[in-house]
Structures are given as C-alpha cells and as structure tokens.
Amino acid sequence: MNKATIATLLMLALGSVPAVRAADAAETWEKTCVKCHGADGKGETKLGKKAEVKDFTDAKYQDSFTDEKAFKAIKEGIKDGDKTKMKPAEDVNDAAIKDLIKKVRGFKK
Ligand code: HEC
C-alpha cells in the first residue's frame, strides 16, 4: 500500500465516525426542530402551525415549563392522548438534550 492509499483509507475510516456518534444539539435543531419550532423559535412554520406549537420567544410560555419537563419532552416526545404532538428526538444523548434546552431558552425575549 502506498501512502496515498493509506491516506484515503484513513479518510474513509474517519468519515464514518460522524455516522455513529450522537448528533449534536445544533445539528439536531437544524435538522429536526426547526421544521416545527422555526429558525426564530416562534413556530410559524407550516408544520408548526399544524402541530400547534407555541412561541418560544414568549416569556410566559417559557415560564410554563421547567427544564425537567422540557428534557422529558425532547427525550420521550409529547403526546396528547393517542396523538403524538412531538416525536422524541433521535440520536441525541443527554448532553445534547441539555444543549437543546439552552437553545430553546435562548429564544426568550
Ligand atoms: C412535529 C412538530 C415538532 C417538532 C419536529 C418538534 N417539536 Fe417541540 N413541540 C411541538 C409541540 C406541538 C409542542 C407542544 C406545544 C404545547 O404545549 O401544546 C412542543 C413543545 C416543545 C417544548 C416545550 C416542552 C413542554 O414541556 O411544554 C420544547 C422544549 C420543545 N418542544 C423542544 C423541541 C426540540 C428541541 C425539538 C427538536 C429535537 C422539537 N421540539 C421538535 C412540536 C414539535
């Protein structure tokens, strides 16, 4: 094997790492949460309106749930009877969930 081949194999091996590690908060927020909660946290997206998302910039709404409740919501999802309002976040570890809560809290005006 020459050096170029080794370098290519190494790059392939490293390239596969992100697929197995847990997604980080910023990535998950962009990929998943924005669909409903909106890039500005107001939830004024098509899906957000359908799901009846509330406005994260509203201080009163922010005060209505604790970090513990938010944690559970992100980890286990939110159900309204049999209806799923929000799916559990996929591929996030507890640290990423805590970062997501920080992100959510950051919208508060
Ligand atoms: C399918 C749309 C949808 C997606 C995608 C979604 N949410 Fe939600 N989210 C909701 C709805 C609906 C509510 C509940 C609003 C209510 O209280 O009625 C909610 C509520 C929340 C709450 C408040 C929890 C509470 O206890 O009241 C947090 C925090 C939250 N979402 C974070 C996230 C994060 C982080 C993501 C991405 C991993 C995400 N959401 C993705 C629809 C969504």
Side-chain angles (χ1 to χ4, degrees):
M1 248 192 283
N2 62 26
K3 270 194 189 139
T5 314
I6 292 168
T8 308
L9 287 175
L10 205 65
M11 265 155 58
L12 282 173
L14 291 173
S16 67
V17 171
V20 289
R21 70 163 170 74
D24 70 20
E27 204 179 313
T28 302
W29 176 260
E30 289 297 327
K31 264 205 327 222
T32 316
C33 322
V34 163
K35 271 189 290 209
C36 286
H37 290 288
D40 58 1
K42 291 187 177 174
E44 288 169 342
T45 65
K46 215 168 143 193
L47 262 179
K49 281 181 189 152
K50 213 174 127 208
E52 294 173 337
V53 162
K54 291 169 190 158
D55 184 356
F56 281 151
T57 66
D58 181 350
K60 261 194 258 149
Y61 176 47
Q62 287 277 358
D63 290 344
S64 76
F65 58 87
T66 58
D67 285 1
E68 287 74 31
K69 193 162 168 275
F71 191 94
K72 203 165 174 271
I74 297 167
K75 200 174 174 114
E76 296 169 15
I78 303 174
K79 282 199 171 177
D80 184 11
D82 287 340
K83 218 176 77 191
T84 299
K85 293 191 89 178
M86 180 171 127
K87 277 197 258 170
E90 284 167 21
D91 296 334
V92 286
N93 57 25
D94 289 4
I97 294 178
K98 284 191 185 133
D99 284 347
L100 281 166
I101 297 171
K102 268 188 223 149
K103 172 92 192 164
V104 165
R105 292 301 190 196
F107 289 117
K108 181 172 165 177
K109 291 246 164 82

